[in-house]
Amino acid sequence: MVWEGVSMERPLVVELEGVSVRRYTTGQVILDEVDWSVRGGEHWALLGANGAGKTSLLRLVGAVQHPTSGSATVLGHRLGRVDVRELRAMIGHVSSSQRVPEDLPAQAVVLTGATGTVQPLWRKYDEATRERARELLAELDCKDFADRPYKFCSGGQRARLLIARALMPDPGLLLLDEPFNALDLPSREDLVDALARLAVNRPGLTTITVTHHLEELPPTISHALLLREGRMLVSGPVDEVLTGAHLTACFGRAVAVERHHGRWQARSAH
């Protein structure tokens, strides 16, 4: 964006400078000298083989762990100089491994995002909070099963409920840790559509999605980062990063990449 000849860049949401993470017990390097900048409204895909360091990088950005060396700044707060409990409250985090009471109705699951608790704190939820939960249920196409117990929701419905829950405090950054895990094809496509709508309806929201499969990326993904053995192989605009050459280098086998109507496909080049 340009205003009266001056370039107006979106604010930095994540800034990592020379970040390394080592396992204290063994000295093993998990992340090695990572430099990474993420700006407001960008939608990043984070890819790499198992053990590449994706989870550690997401934990760092989510203020769950600190770097061994280097500096990490998230939403304007540098790790080590901020109360991480307050910072975490500003970050939405979605993972298929999250603990959710199975008997809770879907709407109650979303409400718990307002208090960051596993169980509902009913006295904390005023009418405005409940109305926000209803709006998010509608936005994520969950309104029709708002009263259904979580245990009776499908995998795709659960994934969308967890996203609605993470959006309750209106975070500036949403982290999606393998949200498509174990979803069948219709559920995957429902979630892809939901994430694409979020990107359009919430231009200020920044997302980082960890996935193993290019087919799971919504067409609104704008940037990508490839990790290999704890090192950043390449990062930048998605069209420049998700190439056959880069993915071949990332995964260690020949990969061919295609894109149709905004969606990506990857397969063996042999």
Side-chain angles (χ1 to χ4, degrees):
M1 173 174 147
V2 176
W3 181 70
E4 293 186 355
V6 179
S7 176
M8 304 289 287
E9 286 190 300
R10 292 192 175 196
L12 279 170
V13 174
V14 175
E15 187 173 17
L16 307 184
E17 297 179 321
V19 162
S20 295
V21 173
R22 293 177 177 82
R23 201 182 304 279
Y24 288 109
T25 53
T26 63
Q28 177 188 0
V29 177
I30 309 299
L31 293 173
D32 191 12
E33 295 290 328
V34 173
D35 295 306
W36 186 28
S37 296
V38 176
R39 292 192 175 273
E42 294 179 346
H43 301 283
W44 282 78
L46 180 56
L47 297 110
N50 288 335
K54 301 186 300 297
T55 297
S56 293
L57 187 54
L58 209 65
R59 284 172 58 84
L60 198 70
V61 173
V64 177
Q65 74 179 77
H66 288 70
T68 307
S69 59
S71 67
T73 303
V74 181
L75 296 172
H77 300 279
R78 181 167 171 175
L79 297 187
R81 299 179 182 175
V82 63
D83 185 334
V84 291
R85 293 169 298 181
E86 294 181 4
L87 180 55
R88 287 174 198 154
M90 302 161 62
I91 302 169
H93 198 150
V94 175
S95 170
S96 58
S97 63
Q98 282 175 264
R99 292 188 302 116
V100 175
E102 295 283 305
D103 292 327
L104 274 187
Q107 184 164 301
V109 171
V110 176
L111 274 171
T112 62
T115 45
T117 54
V118 174
Q119 293 288 349
L121 301 180
W122 296 112
R123 294 182 181 179
K124 298 281 189 179
Y125 308 138
D126 58 16
E127 183 53 35
T129 303
R130 293 170 186 265
E131 178 59 25
R132 176 164 178 77
R134 289 191 286 268
E135 291 172 353
L136 285 166
L137 283 163
E139 185 176 1
L140 274 297
D141 275 343
C142 302
K143 184 172 62 174
D144 291 342
F145 52 90
D147 296 322
R148 185 179 303 169
Y150 187 76
K151 64 183 175 184
F152 294 133
C153 294
S154 70
Q157 291 168 344
R158 291 184 180 200
R160 299 201 307 278
L161 285 171
L162 292 177
I163 292 173
R165 179 185 184 276
L167 291 173
M168 276 297 290
D170 197 22
L173 175 62
L174 180 63
L175 307 179
L176 302 161
D177 189 3
E178 298 189 39
F180 299 92
N181 188 33
L183 296 188
D184 59 20
L185 180 60
S187 295
R188 182 191 79 182
E189 292 304 297
D190 286 344
L191 184 53
V192 167
D193 290 344
L195 291 175
R197 286 196 306 273
L198 276 183
V200 173
N201 295 336
R202 297 170 176 267
L205 180 66
T206 305
T207 65
I208 300 172
T209 302
V210 172
T211 181
H212 286 103
H213 306 289
L214 268 61
E215 291 77 9
E216 296 173 346
L217 298 177
T220 45
I221 286 288
S222 60
H223 294 73
L225 183 152
L226 303 185
L227 279 175
R228 180 178 173 87
E229 296 177 350
R231 293 190 174 186
M232 189 176 73
L233 192 65
V234 61
S235 73
V238 67
D239 288 320
E240 298 175 11
V241 173
L242 297 187
T243 67
H246 287 151
L247 287 166
T248 295
C250 182
F251 289 99
R253 68 172 298 161
V255 176
V257 178
E258 297 176 345
R259 193 179 193 187
H260 300 287
H261 305 295
R263 298 289 298 278
W264 299 87
Q265 291 180 326
R267 57 177 174 79
S268 173
H270 294 304

